[in-house]
Amino acid sequence: MIIGVTGAYSSGKDCVADILIKMNFYHVSFSDILRDELKKRKMKITRDRLISIGNELRTKHGPDILAKLALKRVRDGENHVFTSVRNPHEVKLLQQRKDFIMINVVAPETVRFKRILKRNRESDPKTLKELREKEALENSTNPNAQQLGTVAQMAKITVKNDSTLEILEKKTRKLVEDQIFKLQDKRPNWDYYFMNIAEAVKMRCTCMSAKKGAIIVKNKQIVSTGYNGTPKRIRHCNAGACERCTSRHLGKMKSGIYAKPCICAHAEENSIVQAAHNGISTKDAILYTTFTPCNTCARMIINAGILEVVAKVAYPDDVGTKLLRNAGVKLRVLK
């Protein structure tokens, strides 16, 4: 999971981040990304320069650039806390992930000001008026600048921090316990799982026509795969072996004209033949294909005993579709 933390001056957002780090969360600070950029330019690191360089990067590379750079630091299978998130476009990008949640740490202004005075940092505001002025600078209406107020409004959870550090830690740990299982990536259903594999299979295609891929599945297990291309031990179509495909790509023949034969086998055809070659039954199987089958492949599917065809794109061949329907083979096109 990734927890984004925002909040006003001395609200306790860094304390929440420290608690999460103690819980083995990896810390990714957007400010550290900006510090690294200032170091590259051999510039002194100040708060004003951090704000300036952040605005510059957003203007040059888009308002969500820091979020993109932060995601490059994410380790698969680990928990992360993102801090210094200051632009709504950064939040929008992160919210596309199922494992991300934005939280806003809040505390009354008087409490926050007391904390500021107590820590006594040189760059901190010394009066309430100065505090309000500094916070106003971080609430711009410029889409490429800091918009802390808008970011806070986008948070799904608000953590109130007006008491002790011990209570804040309890709240933070409870938040993680409540969200840890909700923020897991959802698995694709079986249809999209197998179709994505068919999409990968089609990348092996050697035909100069559109790439197509197919897989045959029984009991949720893949028994064979196929893609369109020339037969075994025959020179590949994309190396000039198929006269029809070569003529078409040289502009000597229009697409859809079959005056010259194509020597390439279709993806569905190859998946069925590969199963036969390896002695695997296709009876009662499901075939996943990136295109609905043509007339020839439909006939093979029927005779191979395949019960269902799941396709990604509808191919303009009504003959094949009608054959499947008349033979009682179920055909579905994924939405």
Side-chain angles (χ1 to χ4, degrees):
M1 67 189 295
I2 301 174
I3 297 179
V5 183
T6 190
Y9 259 96
S10 289
S11 60
K13 55 186 181 294
D14 290 336
C15 292
V16 169
D18 288 340
I19 294 166
L20 293 172
I21 292 168
K22 284 198 301 182
M23 297 176 68
N24 297 319
F25 277 67
Y26 286 94
H27 182 207
V28 179
S29 167
F30 286 26
S31 290
D32 284 347
I33 295 173
L34 298 177
R35 289 186 182 93
D36 290 344
E37 183 64 26
L38 287 175
K39 288 176 183 177
K40 287 179 185 176
R41 302 185 186 190
K42 298 181 179 180
M43 297 173 67
K44 185 179 179 181
I45 299 172
T46 65
R47 186 178 184 86
D48 289 341
R49 281 190 178 141
L50 288 172
I51 293 173
S52 177
I53 197 70
N55 294 345
E56 178 190 321
L57 291 176
R58 293 186 191 99
T59 302
K60 186 175 181 180
H61 301 289
D64 58 1
I65 181 60
L66 295 183
K68 290 179 179 178
L69 294 174
L71 288 174
K72 290 183 178 181
R73 303 188 180 194
V74 167
R75 307 182 187 194
D76 188 33
E78 301 291 347
N79 294 323
H80 297 76
V81 54
F82 283 4
T83 59
S84 303
V85 184
R86 293 187 168 94
N87 187 283
H89 291 277
E90 297 164 355
V91 182
K92 286 179 182 178
L93 177 69
L94 296 171
Q95 285 177 337
Q96 294 176 17
R97 295 177 61 107
K98 299 295 184 182
D99 61 347
F100 174 81
I101 191 166
M102 192 77 202
I103 69 171
N104 181 31
V105 185
V106 300
E109 184 183 62
T110 53
V111 173
R112 294 190 292 110
F113 186 59
K114 286 179 182 178
R115 291 172 182 165
I116 291 170
L117 294 178
K118 185 176 180 179
R119 71 187 186 186
N120 195 28
R121 292 179 185 171
E122 184 180 345
S123 59
D124 279 344
K126 302 298 186 272
T127 65
L128 274 174
K129 181 182 177 183
E130 190 179 347
L131 170 62
R132 291 165 185 164
E133 289 174 349
K134 280 186 174 289
E135 289 184 333
L137 291 174
E138 297 183 353
N139 282 289
S140 170
T141 57
N142 181 348
N144 294 320
Q146 296 188 17
Q147 300 180 43
L148 277 182
T150 305
V151 168
Q153 292 173 10
M154 298 173 75
K156 297 295 183 183
I157 294 177
T158 297
V159 178
K160 194 172 183 179
N161 177 32
D162 58 353
S163 185
T164 64
L165 184 59
E166 290 75 16
I167 291 176
L168 180 63
E169 182 165 354
K170 287 181 181 179
K171 289 181 179 181
T172 304
R173 290 184 176 275
K174 180 67 166 55
L175 184 152
V176 174
E177 290 173 8
D178 291 343
Q179 299 297 323
I180 189 69
F181 299 115
K182 296 177 183 177
L183 297 179
Q184 298 300 311
D185 285 335
K186 291 183 179 179
R187 297 191 300 171
N189 63 30
W190 287 110
D191 280 344
Y192 285 93
Y193 170 72
F194 288 125
M195 191 58 71
N196 284 336
I197 295 173
E199 282 288 325
V201 169
K202 82 177 188 181
M203 301 311 295
R204 287 283 299 169
C205 166
T206 60
C207 181
M208 293 175 72
S209 294
K211 296 181 188 297
K212 300 179 183 71
I215 63 173
I216 297 176
V217 175
K218 291 187 72 173
N219 300 318
K220 295 186 173 63
Q221 296 293 320
I222 298 170
V223 298
S224 69
T225 67
Y227 50 85
N228 49 325
T230 51
K232 292 180 179 179
R233 297 184 296 279
I234 301 298
R235 191 158 55 100
H236 293 316
C237 170
N238 56 15
C242 181
E243 186 178 353
R244 179 179 177 274
C245 287
T246 299
S247 295
R248 186 167 66 84
H249 282 277
L250 288 175
K252 298 178 181 180
M253 179 187 298
K254 290 184 178 180
S255 181
I257 302 298
Y258 293 90
K260 294 181 180 179
C262 177
I263 65 171
C264 293
H266 289 187
E268 302 93 330
E269 181 182 1
N270 268 330
S271 65
I272 294 169
V273 170
Q274 288 302 313
H277 177 77
N278 292 313
I280 301 171
S281 172
T282 56
K283 186 175 182 294
D284 300 334
I286 300 174
L287 186 144
Y288 286 85
T289 176
T290 54
F291 272 69
T292 50
C294 69
N295 170 25
T296 301
C297 288
R299 285 178 283 172
M300 293 190 68
I301 288 167
I302 294 166
N303 287 345
I306 291 169
L307 291 182
E308 183 177 8
V309 174
V310 182
K312 185 174 182 179
V313 177
Y315 184 75
D317 187 336
D318 293 337
V319 176
T321 301
K322 289 177 181 177
L323 276 175
L324 293 175
R325 187 187 308 119
N326 293 338
V329 177
K330 185 177 179 182
L331 172 64
R332 291 188 292 123
V333 179
L334 295 183
K335 295 182 180 179

